Amino acid sequence: MPSGKVLLICVLLTATAHGQLPPTAAPTAHQQGIDAFRKAEYLQAATALKRALAQDPNDREATQLLGLSYFYLGSPAEAIPLLERVRSWYSSANVDASYVLGLLYIQTRDYVKARGSFAEMYAVPPESAAAYLFTARMLLRQGFDPIAEEYAHKAVALDPRLPLAHLLLGEFYLYKSRVPDAITEFKQELSLNPGYAHAYDRLADAHFRSGNFDEAQRLLQRAILLDSTSTGPYVLMGNVMLKKGDPAQATRYLKIAVKMDPNNFIAHHLLGEAYRAAGDKPNSERELKQAEQLQSAQNPKFE
């Protein structure tokens, strides 16, 4: 199932006025389809909406919702022609339609059309470095890693100074545990974009994984000074200080992280470890218990 499902339930729904059925009238296939779609009963919705379109091939709302129903049912070949029609009808829906269609084209491995959709979405030429970069990021999010890497390299080849292209490659390599490659790419990004806090954070993470804690600390200090609103650098800094044997400093950073994001179970867990390293058993037990409860709530185990 594609990502962004909750968001996409609302996309492509152009406002239309519908009269109320008389109390005794049986709901039409059109209305049955709408009702089922709103309940996320996509198979029932598709069945009813197909009947609605058989009765009225120009029913635009039924066309939209049938296309989205197929999207959620994992039937991209059926969804694509319907949503292509929707995109041609509503100029105001083009961004959302381009996004949904881009995902569908990815699922059918039509990467050229996917790139065209994302290019249209961001108003850039389909053959531009930016179009390849946007598509690479979408491909990575959908789990199409080899094609994502290929497209990211294509973006860099077209424009070696394109912001965020090297960052994407670095994140890809870090995810694949190719840490030296990730470090190279993050350094490239910083040479082009030296004021971007997230690049320092990602490079610090790569050095942390390499066991270079001093360099990770130095980079995280820069990231935090550039952007003090992001929780990630504080969590990572706490972990770095734990590895360096400084629980007091670790506690300082992790308390900030917990205050910024009280539901971050990793921050609570590391804070519990920092308290334990400092000999503070009550606070350690409290934080470790809180971390366990948050993790269980966020990742429930089904029998």
Side-chain angles (χ1 to χ4, degrees):
M1 186 66 65
S3 64
K5 180 172 180 178
V6 174
L7 170 67
L8 292 175
I9 285 179
C10 299
V11 305
L12 303 179
L13 299 182
T14 304
T16 54
H18 299 283
Q20 296 296 319
L21 292 170
T24 58
T28 63
H30 176 105
Q31 190 62 48
Q32 288 175 341
I34 291 175
D35 292 343
F37 185 88
R38 287 173 177 168
K39 296 175 183 177
E41 297 172 348
Y42 300 119
L43 185 58
Q44 295 90 324
T47 301
L49 292 165
K50 284 170 67 177
R51 293 202 310 271
L53 283 176
Q55 296 165 6
D56 180 5
N58 296 317
D59 186 335
R60 293 190 170 190
E61 187 170 24
T63 302
Q64 296 177 68
L65 297 185
L66 181 57
L68 286 174
S69 295
Y70 282 136
F71 174 74
Y72 294 129
L73 289 169
S75 301
E78 288 80 7
I80 285 172
L82 294 164
L83 296 180
E84 284 178 335
R85 290 176 64 193
V86 172
R87 183 173 59 179
S88 70
W89 290 337
Y90 303 116
S91 60
S92 62
N94 274 347
V95 169
D96 292 331
S98 295
Y99 177 60
V100 176
L101 279 169
L103 296 183
L104 289 167
Y105 290 138
I106 286 174
Q107 291 174 30
T108 56
R109 290 167 172 73
D110 193 339
Y111 306 122
V112 173
K113 283 190 176 180
R115 189 176 74 251
S117 288
F118 296 130
E120 180 179 355
M121 181 178 170
Y122 288 101
V124 299
E127 298 300 326
S128 66
Y132 277 95
L133 176 61
F134 296 142
T135 309
R137 185 163 289 281
M138 300 298 182
L139 285 162
L140 195 59
R141 286 169 57 184
Q142 296 299 312
F144 288 73
D145 297 358
I147 308 300
E149 183 181 9
E150 176 187 328
Y151 268 45
H153 278 296
K154 180 67 173 179
V156 171
L158 288 170
D159 184 357
R161 300 189 64 79
L162 180 67
L164 304 184
H166 290 286
L167 181 77
L168 179 60
L169 277 170
E171 289 175 334
F172 173 81
Y173 292 139
L174 199 60
Y175 174 73
K176 293 294 184 180
S177 298
R178 293 169 55 179
V179 177
D181 291 331
I183 288 173
T184 298
E185 294 298 334
F186 291 140
K187 285 182 175 179
Q188 283 275 70
E189 184 66 36
L190 284 171
S191 71
L192 302 172
N193 199 2
Y196 188 45
H198 187 58
Y200 289 100
D201 173 34
R202 295 296 77 216
L203 181 56
D205 193 2
H207 280 293
F208 175 80
R209 298 186 193 200
S210 298
N212 191 349
F213 303 131
D214 288 337
E215 182 65 9
Q217 179 183 357
R218 184 179 70 84
L219 291 162
L220 286 168
Q221 288 170 336
R222 294 181 178 184
I224 290 169
L225 289 172
L226 282 170
D227 180 9
S228 61
T229 65
S230 179
T231 308
Y234 287 100
V235 174
L236 184 55
M237 182 70 95
N239 207 359
V240 167
M241 301 315 295
L242 273 174
K243 294 295 185 182
K244 294 185 69 173
D246 190 342
Q249 282 284 60
T251 300
R252 171 173 167 258
Y253 285 105
L254 290 165
K255 286 173 71 174
I256 295 172
V258 165
K259 184 176 181 179
M260 292 171 67
D261 184 3
N263 294 320
N264 189 321
F265 71 87
I266 296 175
H268 281 283
H269 179 82
L270 289 172
L271 182 55
E273 294 289 342
Y275 279 131
R276 181 160 60 187
D280 188 340
K281 185 176 180 181
N283 279 327
S284 174
E285 291 178 347
R286 184 195 69 234
E287 292 298 328
L288 292 173
K289 182 178 180 180
Q290 179 73 1
E292 184 177 353
Q293 291 173 344
L294 287 170
Q295 185 175 19
S296 297
Q298 294 171 25
N299 302 287
K301 296 180 181 179
F302 298 96
E303 297 297 334

